[in-house]
Amino acid sequence: MILVSLDKIVTIMKDLGKGRTSIFSIRYKKLEETLKNESIIEVKYPYGKRNQRTKQLMNLGFKLKETIWYNTDAPYSEVREIWERI
């Protein structure tokens, strides 16, 4: 499973094993191509962009499986969720 951070740019973190992690940034245009082989992803994004990011992930063929963290009280609140490909 990979962690996808959807903010101003997309940051993808993938565990390579043996304590190593690959971190790279892409543009939103390449998000569909990058996630085409992934079946389950962990996503984090700002709470204020919830509607936009939810629609975006649904258009990529994912459905919400589980919400890990949902905080609307903090000034920089965020949402962390697990999404599964349909």
Side-chain angles (χ1 to χ4, degrees), residues 11-84:
T11 304
I12 299 187
M13 291 161 260
K14 185 179 251 185
D15 184 25
L16 300 175
K18 297 183 182 179
R20 297 181 347 188
T21 304
S22 170
I23 301 172
F24 57 96
S25 298
I26 61 169
R27 295 176 184 238
Y28 277 95
K29 292 178 185 179
K30 297 204 176 225
L31 185 60
E32 182 175 6
E33 179 184 328
T34 305
L35 297 178
K36 69 181 177 185
N37 295 327
E38 300 297 327
S39 58
I40 298 177
I41 58 174
E42 182 178 340
V43 180
K44 78 174 193 174
Y45 53 87
Y47 173 74
K49 296 283 186 172
R50 184 178 178 117
N51 290 336
Q52 181 181 3
R53 300 300 180 233
T54 301
K55 287 178 188 175
Q56 199 169 35
L57 290 165
M58 291 174 130
N59 288 338
L60 292 174
F62 288 93
K63 71 173 185 172
L64 180 62
K65 182 178 179 182
E66 177 184 357
T67 300
I68 299 171
W69 176 256
Y70 181 84
N71 182 6
T72 61
D73 295 334
Y76 300 102
S77 57
E78 70 175 18
V79 179
R80 285 183 88 115
E81 300 170 331
I82 303 286
W83 287 76
E84 182 176 41

